Amino acid sequence: MQEQSGADGEAEAARPQPRIVSSESLLQGSREVIIRHGSEDYRLRLTRVGKLILNK
C-alpha cells in the first residue's frame, strides 16, 4: 500500500472520524428501534441470527 502525501493526504487527515455507537446502545435490550430521520421513520431490527436489518 502506498502512503498518501500532499493535499489529498492532509485533507484525509483533517476529516473527522465517524462516531461509533454500539447496537446494544441503540437497541437497549429491545429487538427493534425506530429511527426518525427528518420526516421519515426507519426500523432497525435485530434478527434471530444476530444480523441487523434497516427498513424504511
Side-chain angles (χ1 to χ4, degrees):
M1 187 181 281
Q2 190 176 6
E3 244 183 78
Q4 289 186 346
S5 62
D8 289 339
E10 290 168 10
E12 207 45 49
R15 185 175 298 150
Q17 293 299 309
R19 187 168 59 111
I20 297 173
V21 179
S22 70
S23 59
E24 290 86 4
S25 174
L26 286 172
L27 294 168
Q28 298 180 358
S30 177
R31 301 218 39 104
E32 69 180 28
V33 64
I34 303 298
I35 301 169
R36 182 155 294 146
H37 179 66
S39 63
E40 302 288 337
D41 287 347
Y42 294 81
R43 181 179 310 268
L44 180 66
R45 186 169 57 92
L46 180 63
T47 68
R48 282 180 268 162
V49 295
K51 304 280 184 175
L52 290 174
I53 298 177
L54 181 65
N55 293 103
K56 186 169 182 183

